[in-house]
């Protein structure tokens, strides 16, 4: 395929190697264009793909600066223009089919171009940019200059096109408007002039929108001022229309002003774009998916699918081994495509109809594996690449398969999930892709790499996973033996998990995160791609085995020019490290030095770079898949050094020879077997696993739905459970019988325990036999309780936090809490004004305004006094202007004492003086309105404060009334009880709205659930109750006097007046006898008894009447006081209404002022807009004036040239006869007449005579001319004879044949030279290989174990003896371990009993300690109350005396120190006098 020169120049690497693009597969996301009648083109990622409609041949052009932006084509000139996506983008123009760059257009656009369009004739290109310029520019693309440009701020354009018949007209359309730009030209100057087109509505009518910026007349609002433009009206949302596109194409038959719609054709997918070919013989149909159809007009119309798009971007790609003639791709929807590597043509497709994730092709057979989101792996037979088919499905787990990898020899298939499970499958189709087991690794697997060399018997596997909590990466390495399929049963446990001791699993960690890592073929070094730092590091693995986690440090660090997370992989021979990153650059490095020997940019960071890289076994081809740009790039070597090519070529041949037998066997098996047989065997295996019998006691645990397929991991778990059940069924039955007998015995013992005494009775837990199980269940229940308690506490904490927020916002922050006041007998409810405390800023602002207004008032007074003084001297000389000023000042003075109807408020009724308010008729300035608003808010605050004070007084009055009613109700209750009336007492209470603080306190009676009491609290309560009961019993035993008084006199020492109603005079005992049997004495006693009874009844009546009168008096008093309060509440209610009215009046004034401020602001904004509009129009006027000036200058130049020509003509006319003075006069007259009739421009006449219009007949099918070329001018074309061209062609052919012949001779010579050099290099490589083999044989490592295996005749017997000794040792250790465990259990049981005893003792001591603490605290309070003051004074006096004494001692010590210093100086002076000084001579 052809490629651009610039692309080939940039795709370079080292001097010995470079890559080139073989083909590109991508599907159009933008509009498809015609480049000529037979070729279409579209952009995909970094490339522009050209497709020949007839041959389906593709050609690619690469944009080296990243992803392709917008593009356009010019069919007459066969050029394509496209922009890049970078800061300050550039427009490139390339020619086709040469793909050479013609020019590069650099403008002033900062971010991106959104539209490009060529004119249909001429060399003009229009471009439109997005934010921030929104600039329309007209280019001359041949000269690379901008002819003119125009900016349209905030105007998004969706389409742009030139008029096909007139390049001076350019149409731009958006979803809301259509604009036609006229391109005017004057000499070399170009200008853009816009003309808006009014589109009709759906019914055909024209909507005339009013111009609200420059209207002819706008309506006036007498109250709220002028009508504002649309910019001042917020919240308007236009209607949205949505068009649904199906797979139909409709034709519009237009005749004059009428049209008719007919169904034209139908395609399989919704249509997104239509376009005619330049010759109008074909119609291009582009679908939303990206497919392209070509409809050819004719007698037999043809609909051809030129491009069939895949269903989404490529998820994974891989080569089909071993020939590497084909490759496979996979999309998320399950579409698998097979592509030819030669030309990138799609050979076949297959749909799995399930979401898929990953693809891998087997190197040992013609099969491929596909991982799905549902956890299955589908195996595809690709023996026939034209008809692949699914032959097997392995349902591994319920987790999504994220990684699929074959080892280099194709023995095993590794399937990884995000949950950290790696399943190992047999890669051979003959084994039905048997699942051998799984390995559990870290979650979030990033990459799996393998090392499977030809000469080894194991496969090394390395898994990379992240550790986000520590910022590290984990590496896990394990080995799979080659004989694993034969011994897999011993390598895995019952549940399919591979044993770590058999696979030799080791853990490593690196201190920084890696995005990708591979293991080299010597298995002693790891190569990692750092995700957060620009380095590629290598790590040496330790030689010795280790346990636990080994921290690896970088052994080698190489600066990486690639940025962002990347992917790494190794070539087949393991000598090339291939890296791809988010920047879109692919690098191939030497494995030893990590130096890059080739670099290629196939994708860009705008498409998030490279997702995956695959290199073929022979190293000839490289597939690079983009992450988000939907582009697959196939690279091949353009130049590769001899040693680089020979190494991988030799290894590939060796590898192919090694796997040839295996591949032949497996491919033969695929040919013989049919997919139906494989599926039937697979289904049979699954059904056998499902139909295994299970035990009845474990039926609920392993029962599955036979109609639903279960994953392999779950099957293994069920099989393990069934096997354990079957293996231990007999023992389990015996244990069950023993447990039943033991349970029966325990129940009998528990029944006997219920009948014994309390002292001998055991607790229920003493009968639990399995203490460990009991403890485990208790621990589980405690954990569950702790979890529930934690959840409840967190839920309660969240609720409490929300309650605190609400309380802080609505209650604590209020200086005056909102509450209501209800009447006793009337349904009146009066609410106060909830108020927040004013902030310091608000108070500061209010004081500032008040101070300013006071200053203004004083200034006004001073001005008035000055005017009055001056008026005393100028009484008779007043001017009219001075009279007006005096009247204004008088008016301003009167405004301070305006009545309420002019103030617009009744705030004076609440004692608020509005004297500092400005008059409503004088508020014109913005500052005055703002100050007025502040003062009005202050008045509202004061009004609310006054009313709240009145409300508080009424609230206190109600509290007093309720207290007085309660006091009187006590006496009423006594009277009702004495009179035994049975009446109910009216007791007024505050409602919740009157005491809203009750809502914030939860009473115990509001809680419906039982309160949870902790054990220690319960024990404390019981202890206190028992203590109180003992004290009560002691008091009852010692209080004999009270009991005697209660028995004799009812608990009182004298008879009260209230007891008269309950007093009863006892009847004499003789009254039980008949009257006839009474004695005289008894009759006297009976008369005394009747008198006492009568007196008692009279006293009762008097007392009852007094009580009744007192009751009525109390009730009337209560009724009167509460009614008086209700009357006060009515007045307060009226006051509340009036206060609310005042507040509303002031708020109305505030709203009016705010509206006027907003109106002023909007008018200012509109004025600013108009000023800007005027400035812009003035600038346009200046530009127009400049253009007119230039045009006038050009006109003056033309006039000057014209005048010069006229002057020259006059000079010739005058000198004509003088030139022919020697001729006869009649001849001169004839010549003069001819001279007069001569054409003014002889040169143009000659050209016109030579430039003939001729008509040529063209044979049909031989010569074709494009329609657009007929519109162009051929000013420089000439018509020559065909024979001349044919003669020249014959000469050229003869010379060309001679040159070809000489070149063929030279070619044969060079071919022989190359053949000899190749044979020589081949011999040198064979010699190097033989030397290397000899060296390897000499340096072969032979361990002692291998020597022992060869030298020892009875090696197996020796190993068996060692194994027996180890088994005996293990048995002895196991026996000793069990004995130690039993001893520890006994000791633990004893310690448990001792611990329980200590807990009881500690609890008793804690109870005693609490009592002692209570007593100590009481004593401490008494001591503090009695002697704290004296003690404090005493301590203070002692401290004061100590301080004074210390100060005194300090002063004494300072004086003594001064005296000592003085004495010391005196001693020194005397010493100097006594001893003479010895001075040096």
């Amino acid at each position: 395929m052809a490629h651009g020169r610039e692309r080939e120049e940039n795709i370079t690497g080292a001097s010995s190697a470079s890559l080139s693009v073989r083909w590109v597969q991508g599907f159009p996301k933008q509009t498809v264009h015609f480049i000529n009648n037979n070729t279409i083109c579209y952009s995909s990622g970094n490339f522009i793909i050209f497709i020949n409609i007839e041959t389906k041949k593709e050609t690619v052009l690469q944009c080296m600066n990243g992803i392709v932006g917008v593009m356009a084509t010019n069919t007459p000139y066969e050029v394509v223009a496209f922009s890049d996506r970078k800061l300050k983008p550039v427009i490139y123009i390339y020619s086709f089919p040469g793909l050479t760059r013609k020019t590069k257009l650099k403008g002033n656009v900062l971010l991106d171009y959104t539209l490009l369009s060529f004119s249909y004739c001429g060399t003009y290109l229009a471009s439109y940019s997005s934010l921030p310029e929104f600039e329309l520019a007209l280019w001359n693309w041949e000269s690379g200059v901008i002819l003119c440009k125009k900016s349209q701020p905030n105007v998004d354009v969706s389409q742009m096109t030139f008029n096909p018949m007139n390049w001076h007209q350019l149409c731009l359309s958006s979803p809301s408007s259509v604009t036609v730009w006229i391109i005017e030209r004057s000499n070399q100057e170009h200008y853009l002039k816009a003309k808006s087109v009014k589109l009709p509505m759906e019914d055909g009518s024209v909507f005339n929108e009013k111009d609200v910026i420059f209207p002819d007349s706008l309506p006036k609002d007498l109250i709220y001022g002028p009508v504002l433009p649309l910019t001042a009206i917020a919240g308007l949302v236009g209607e949205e229309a949505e068009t649904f596109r199906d797979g139909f194409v409709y034709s519009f038959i237009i005749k004059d002003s009428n049209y008719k719609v007919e169904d034209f054709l139908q395609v399989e997918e919704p249509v997104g774009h239509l376009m005619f070919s330049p010759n109008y013989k074909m119609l291009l149909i582009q679908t939303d998916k990206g497919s392209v159809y070509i409809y050819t007009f004719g007698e037999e119309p043809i609909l051809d699918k030129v491009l069939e798009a895949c269903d989404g971007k490529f998820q994974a790609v891989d080569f089909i081994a071993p020939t590497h003639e084909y490759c496979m791709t996979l999309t998320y929807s399950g579409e698998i495509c097979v592509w030819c590597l030669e030309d990138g043509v799609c050979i076949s497709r297959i749909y799995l109809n399930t979401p898929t994730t990953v693809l891998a092709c087997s190197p040992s057979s013609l099969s491929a594996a596909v991982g799905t989101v549902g956890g299955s792996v589908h195996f595809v037979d690709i023996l026939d690449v034209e008809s692949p088919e699914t032959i097997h499905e392995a349902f591994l787990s319920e987790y999504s398969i994220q990684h699929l990898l074959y080892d280099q020899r194709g023995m095993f298939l590794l399937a990884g999930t995000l949950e950290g499970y790696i399943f190992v499958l047999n890669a051979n189709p003959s084994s039905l892709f048997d699942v051998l087991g799984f390995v559990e690794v870290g979650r979030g697997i990033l990459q799996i790499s393998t090392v499977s060399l030809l000469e080894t018997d194991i496969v090394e596997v390395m898994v990379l996973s992240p550790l986000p909590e520590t910022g590290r990466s984990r590496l896990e390495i394990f080995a799979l033996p080659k004989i694993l399929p034969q011994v897999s049963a011993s390598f895995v446990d019952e549940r399919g998990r591979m044993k770590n001791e058999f696979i030799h699993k080791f853990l490593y960690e690196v201190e920084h995160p890696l995005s990708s890592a591979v293991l080299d073929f010597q298995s002693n070094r790891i190569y990692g791609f750092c995700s957060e730092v620009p380095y590629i590091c290598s790590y040496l693995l330790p030689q010795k085995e280790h346990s636990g986690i080994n921290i690896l440090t970088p052994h080698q660090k190489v600066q990486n020019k690639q940025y962002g997370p990347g992917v790494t992989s190794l070539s087949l021979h393991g000598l090339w490290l291939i890296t791809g990153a988010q920047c879109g650059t692919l690098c191939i490095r030497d494995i030893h030095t990590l130096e890059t020997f080739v670099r290629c940019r196939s994708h860009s960071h705008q498409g998030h770079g490279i997702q995956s890289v695959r290199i073929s076994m022979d190293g000839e081809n490289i597939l690079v898949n983009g992450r988000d740009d939907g582009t697959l790039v196939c690279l091949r070597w353009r130049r590769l050094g001899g040693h680089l090519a020979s190494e991988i070529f030799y290894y590939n041949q060796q590898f192919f020879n090694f796997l040839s037998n295996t591949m032949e066997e497996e491919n033969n098996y695929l040919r013989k077997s049919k997919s139906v047989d494989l599926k039937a065997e697979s289904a049979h295996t699954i059904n056998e696993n499902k139909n295994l019998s299970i035990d009845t006691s474990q039926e609920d645990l392993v029962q599955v739905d036979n109609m639903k397929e279960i994953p392999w991991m779950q099957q293994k778990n069920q099989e393990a459970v069934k096997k354990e059940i079957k293996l231990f069924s007999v023992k389990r039955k015996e244990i069950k019988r023993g447990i039943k007998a033991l349970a029966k015995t325990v129940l009998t013992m528990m029944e006997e325990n219920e009948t014994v005494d309390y002292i001998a009775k055991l607790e229920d837990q003493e009968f639990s036999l399995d203490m460990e199980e009991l403890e485990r269940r208790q621990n589980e229940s405690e954990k569950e309780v702790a979890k529930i308690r934690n959840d409840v506490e967190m839920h309660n904490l969240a609720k409490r936090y929300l309650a605190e927020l609400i309380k802080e916002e609505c209650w604590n922050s209020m200086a005056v809490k909102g509450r209501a006041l209800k009447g006793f007998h009337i349904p009146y409810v009066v609410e106060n004004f909830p108020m927040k405390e004013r902030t310091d800023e608000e108070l500061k602002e209010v004081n500032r305004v008040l101070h300013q207004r006071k200053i203004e008032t004083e200034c006004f007074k001073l001005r008035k006094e000055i005017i009055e003084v001056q008026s005393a001297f100028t009484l008779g000389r007043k001017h009219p202007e001075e009279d007006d000023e005096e009247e204004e000042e008088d008016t301003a003075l009167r405004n301070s004492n305006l009545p309420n109807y002019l103030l617009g408020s009744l705030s004076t009724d609440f004692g608020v003086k509005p004297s500092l308010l400005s008059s409503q008729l004088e508020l014109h300035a913005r500052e005055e309105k703002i100050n007025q608003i502040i003062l009005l808010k202050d008045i509202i605050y004061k009004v609310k404060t006054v009313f709240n004070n009145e409300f508080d007084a009424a609230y206190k009055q109600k509290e007093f009334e309720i207290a007085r009613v309660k006091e009187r109700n006590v006496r009423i209750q006594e009277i009702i009880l004495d009179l035994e009336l049975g009446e109910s007492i009216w007791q007024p209470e505050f409602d919740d709205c009157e005491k809203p603080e009750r809502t914030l306190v939860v009473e115990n009676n509001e809680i419906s659930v039982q309160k949870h009491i902790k054990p220690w609290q319960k024990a404390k309560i019981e202890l206190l109750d028992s203590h109180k009961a003992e004290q009560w019993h002691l008091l009852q035993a010692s209080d004999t006097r009270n009991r005697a008084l209660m028995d004799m006199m009812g608990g009182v020492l004298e008879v009260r007046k209230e007891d008269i109603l309950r007093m009863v005079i006892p009847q004499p005992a003789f009254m039980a006898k008949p009257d006839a049997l009474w004695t005289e004495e008894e009759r006297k006693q009976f008369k005394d008894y009747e008198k006492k009874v009568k007196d008692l009844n009279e006293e009762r009546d008097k007392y009852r009447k007094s009580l009744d009168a007192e009751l009525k008096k109390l009730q009337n008093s209560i009724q009167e006081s509460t009614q008086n309060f209700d009357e006060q509440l009515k007045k307060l209610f009226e006051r509340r209404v009036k206060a609310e009215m005042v507040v509303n009046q002031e708020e109305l004034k505030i709203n009016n002022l705010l509206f006027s401020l907003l109106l002023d602001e909007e008018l200012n904004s509109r004025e600013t807009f108009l000023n800007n509009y005027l400035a812009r129009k003035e600038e346009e006027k200046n530009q127009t004036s400049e253009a007119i000036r230039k045009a006038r200058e050009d006109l003056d130049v033309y006039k000057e040239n014209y005048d010069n020509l006229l002057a020259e003509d006059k000079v010739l006319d005058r000198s004509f006869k003088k030139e022919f003075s020697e001729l006869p006069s009649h001849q001169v007259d004839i010549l003069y007449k001819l001279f007069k009739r001569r054409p003014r421009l002889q040169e143009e006449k000659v050209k016109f005579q030579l430039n003939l219009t001729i008509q040529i007949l063209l044979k049909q099918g031989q010569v074709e001319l494009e329609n657009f070329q007929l519109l162009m001018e051929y000013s420089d074309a000439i018509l020559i004879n065909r024979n001349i061209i044919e003669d020249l062609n014959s000469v050229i052919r003869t010379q060309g044949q001679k040159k070809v012949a000489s070149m063929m001779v030279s070619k044969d010579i060079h071919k022989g030279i190359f053949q000899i050099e190749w044979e020589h290099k081949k011999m040198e490589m064979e010699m190097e290989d033989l030397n290397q083999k000899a060296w390897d044989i000499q340096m072969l490592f032979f361990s002692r174990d291998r020597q022992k295996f060869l030298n020892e005749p009875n090696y197996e017997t020796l190993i068996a003896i060692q194994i027996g000794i180890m088994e005996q040792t293990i048995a002895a250790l196991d026996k000793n371990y069990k004995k130690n465990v039993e001893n520890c259990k006994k000791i633990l049981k004893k310690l448990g009993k001792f611990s329980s005893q200590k807990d009881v003792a500690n609890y008793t001591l804690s109870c005693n300690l609490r009592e002692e603490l209570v007593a100590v605290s009481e004593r401490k309070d008494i001591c503090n109350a009695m002697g704290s003051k004296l003690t404090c004074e005493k301590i203070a006096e002692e401290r004061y005396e100590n301080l004074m004494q210390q100060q005194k001692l300090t002063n004494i010590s300072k004086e003594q120190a001064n005296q000592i210093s003085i004495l010391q100086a005196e001693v020194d002076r005397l010493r100097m006098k006594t001893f003479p000084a010895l001075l040096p001579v």
Side-chain angles (χ1 to χ4, degrees), residues 853 895 903 914-919 932 935-936 939 1146 1149:
R853 288 294 300 156
N895 285 338
L903 288 174
S915 58
L916 295 178
L917 286 177
S918 300
S919 175
Q932 187 81 344
L935 294 176
L936 290 174
I939 289 174
E1146 303 298 339
K1149 289 197 287 188

Side-chain angles (χ1 to χ4, degrees), residues 252-268:
F252 289 77
I253 302 174
I254 304 173
K255 186 176 182 181
D256 297 333
S257 61
N258 300 322
Y259 67 91
K260 182 174 65 174
V261 181
E262 294 182 354
D263 292 342
F264 187 66
L265 60 90
Q266 183 180 5
V267 294
E268 299 174 354

Side-chain angles (χ1 to χ4, degrees), residues 187-244:
N187 198 6
Q188 300 299 323
E189 300 294 331
H190 295 75
Y191 303 96
L192 286 170
K193 183 179 180 182
K195 180 181 179 182
S196 299
V197 178
K198 293 183 179 180
L199 297 179
M201 300 178 68
E202 294 181 357
D203 57 355
S205 61
V206 179
F207 175 70
N208 294 321
E209 184 178 0
K210 293 183 179 179
D211 189 355
V212 294
I213 297 179
F214 302 104
D216 296 334
S217 63
L218 279 177
K220 295 286 192 300
D221 192 330
L222 300 178
I223 298 177
Y224 297 108
V227 175
L228 300 181
L230 295 178
T231 55
I233 303 174
L236 295 182
V237 179
E239 295 183 356
E240 296 181 357
E242 186 174 3
T243 304
F244 294 89

Side-chain angles (χ1 to χ4, degrees), residues 1317-1339:
E1317 289 179 352
W1318 184 84
E1319 292 179 354
H1320 180 68
K1321 290 181 181 178
K1322 179 182 177 183
M1323 292 178 181
E1324 286 181 351
M1325 288 189 291
E1326 290 178 350
M1327 182 175 67
E1328 290 178 0
D1329 293 339
L1330 293 174
N1331 292 333
Q1332 185 65 33
K1333 288 182 179 179
W1335 175 257
D1336 293 339
I1337 294 171
Q1338 293 177 3
M1339 300 302 294

Side-chain angles (χ1 to χ4, degrees), residues 933-944:
I933 290 173
I934 295 173
L935 294 176
L936 290 174
K937 289 182 178 179
D938 183 57
I939 289 174
I940 292 174
Y941 189 86
K942 291 178 179 178
V943 169
K944 290 182 178 180

